[in-house]
């Protein structure tokens, strides 16, 4: 009987040890990724419309503030900034929320505390002529933490060859205003448009509105695989898979839409480990990002062979 108990205890310890070995520390998960992993190949959790916690229900797509999102594993922040009465604020639709300074301060504090991590900042939209003031805020708050292209004339080539080791402890900034003269700055990498037709873009984020305002099943069964196939065939730049549903009528709100979508999206993300286009999976964008949702994306790096 004692021998059986010992065997059983040993088996339990083996299971516990295996579970711990595969546990994900969401605050430091990039520390476990190989230095030579290409940034555009790493599976990265993203927060759609970050900075909207506290906004009215019809504009809020995240419940957590920036510090919590980062601690929970998010490494890509979709940020939309407006200049309002001399103040830079995050906006979504008709609502304005937290100040940009607070968001950037949280990013700076996180990178200082977790120097093996990298944060992608995607300034997708500006309003009220916020571009110049936003760049000044980036400089003042993040300073040398912002990565700069060694050759500003070939930013696409830089992103395509960028290994994680080069951007640990740094923020990589993508800029949504295609004609903005600020783009001459070596720290700003131009992003693509929804259709993916903008030349020399360093970040691609396809978005077909009718697909995202429709139902969850059609999005995960048809549209998202189409996006992935396009990323795979294009094979360039950071690729953002927009996995959120949109409230096209402004009636149900993002939370209601996510409630009908989260389980199917979770299953879709987990199944990407066996996708023929796994190599093209990069940023996975979600509403109401949580540690559990983020871990499903982070775990794809195991299937990619990127964990040390």
């Amino acid at each position: 009987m004692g021998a059986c108990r010992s065997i059983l205890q040993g088996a339990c310890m083996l299971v516990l040890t295996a579970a711990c070995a595969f546990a994900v520390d969401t605050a430091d998960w990039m520390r476990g990724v190989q230095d030579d992993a290409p940034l555009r190949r790493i599976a990265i959790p993203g927060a759609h419309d970050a900075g909207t916690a506290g906004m009215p229900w019809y504009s809020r797509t995240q419940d957590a503030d920036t510090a919590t999102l980062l601690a929970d594993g998010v490494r890509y922040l979709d940020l939309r900034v407006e200049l309002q009465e001399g103040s830079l604020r995050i906006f979504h639709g008709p609502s304005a929320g937290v100040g940009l300074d607070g968001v950037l301060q949280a990013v700076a504090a996180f990178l200082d505390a977790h120097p093996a991590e990298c944060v992608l900042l995607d300034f997708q939209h500006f309003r009220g002529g916020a571009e110049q003031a936003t760049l000044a805020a980036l400089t003042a708050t993040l300073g040398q933490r912002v990565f700069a292209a060694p050759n500003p004339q070939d930013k696409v080539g830089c992103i395509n060859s960028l290994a994680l080791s080069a951007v640990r402890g740094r923020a990589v900034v993508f800029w949504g205003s295609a004609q903005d003269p600020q783009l001459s700055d070596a720290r700003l990498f131009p992003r693509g448009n929804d259709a993916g037709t903008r030349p020399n873009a360093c970040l691609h984020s396809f978005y077909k509105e009718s697909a995202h305002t429709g139902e969850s099943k059609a999005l995960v069964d048809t549209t998202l695989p189409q996006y992935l196939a396009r990323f795979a065939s294009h094979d360039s730049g950071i690729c953002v898979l927009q996995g959120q549903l949109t409230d096209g009528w402004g009636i149900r709100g993002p939370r209601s839409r996510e409630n009908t979508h989260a389980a199917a999206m979770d299953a879709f993300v987990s199944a990407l480990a066996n996708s023929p286009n796994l190599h093209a999976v990069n940023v996975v964008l979600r509403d109401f990002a949580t540690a559990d949702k983020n871990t499903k994306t982070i775990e794809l790096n195991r299937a990619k062979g990127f964990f040390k």
Side-chain angles (χ1 to χ4, degrees):
M1 188 71 179
C4 290
R5 185 179 296 109
S6 296
I7 291 171
L8 181 59
Q9 290 174 339
C12 289
M13 286 301 295
L14 182 61
V15 171
L16 180 60
T17 301
C20 290
F22 287 93
V24 172
D25 178 1
T26 55
D28 280 297
W29 67 265
M30 281 183 162
R31 183 173 57 181
V33 176
Q34 297 168 4
D35 278 343
D36 62 355
L39 186 65
R40 70 189 189 95
R41 298 298 191 199
I42 300 172
I44 298 172
H48 174 239
D49 276 302
T52 58
M55 283 187 183
W57 63 270
Y58 48 82
S59 298
R60 184 172 63 250
T61 63
Q62 303 295 335
D63 287 332
D65 61 18
T66 303
T68 303
L69 288 172
L70 294 171
D72 285 347
V74 166
R75 296 294 179 270
Y76 165 99
L77 301 174
D78 163 23
L79 299 170
R80 308 176 186 209
V81 186
E82 73 172 5
L83 183 61
Q84 186 181 89
E85 298 180 352
S87 177
L88 291 170
R89 308 196 72 81
I90 302 298
F91 78 89
H92 183 209
S95 303
V98 298
L100 177 64
D101 283 347
V103 172
L104 297 181
Q105 288 165 8
V107 172
F110 178 80
L111 291 173
D112 289 347
H114 305 274
E117 307 303 296
C118 167
V119 178
L120 310 184
L121 303 179
D122 184 8
F123 290 92
Q124 186 173 150
H125 299 294
F126 295 98
R127 195 159 68 187
E131 289 88 339
Q132 186 173 353
T134 297
L135 182 55
L138 279 168
T139 301
T141 306
L142 294 182
Q144 295 302 311
R145 300 178 191 87
V146 179
F147 174 78
N151 177 9
Q153 306 307 313
D154 186 19
K155 292 180 178 179
V156 173
C158 174
I159 290 296
N160 285 346
S161 61
L162 198 58
L164 179 59
S165 59
V167 290
R168 290 195 190 274
R170 302 286 191 89
V172 183
V173 178
F174 298 91
W175 208 250
S177 293
Q179 307 303 320
D180 190 349
Q182 313 289 343
L183 278 171
S184 61
D185 193 306
R187 299 169 298 171
L188 305 183
F189 292 85
R191 80 181 316 278
N193 55 16
D194 289 349
T197 58
R198 185 173 291 160
N200 300 315
C202 296
L203 180 146
H204 305 279
S205 184
F206 304 140
Y207 182 80
K208 182 180 178 182
E209 185 174 9
S210 60
H212 291 264
T213 55
E215 297 306 313
S216 174
K217 181 175 174 55
L219 183 69
V220 300
D221 287 354
T222 303
T223 304
L224 296 185
Q226 289 175 346
Y227 289 165
L228 273 179
R230 286 185 67 188
F231 290 150
S233 63
H234 186 63
D235 197 29
S236 179
I238 297 294
C239 296
V240 179
L241 186 67
Q242 298 209 37
Q244 75 282 355
L245 287 178
T246 302
D247 181 16
W249 292 96
I251 297 173
R252 289 177 285 184
R255 170 58 77 182
S256 176
R257 295 291 278 156
E258 178 66 8
N259 287 343
T260 70
H261 179 54
M265 189 63 194
D266 283 349
F268 174 82
V269 172
S270 295
L272 289 174
N274 298 311
S275 168
N277 289 322
L278 174 64
H279 67 285
V281 176
N282 195 189
V283 177
V284 178
L285 197 60
R286 307 277 313 254
D287 276 348
F288 302 100
T290 62
D292 182 62
K293 289 178 181 177
N294 299 336
T295 296
K296 288 177 172 58
T297 297
I298 294 166
E299 282 290 346
L300 295 176
N301 292 299
R302 204 173 306 282
K304 287 172 172 275
F306 285 157
F307 281 124
K308 296 175 183 176

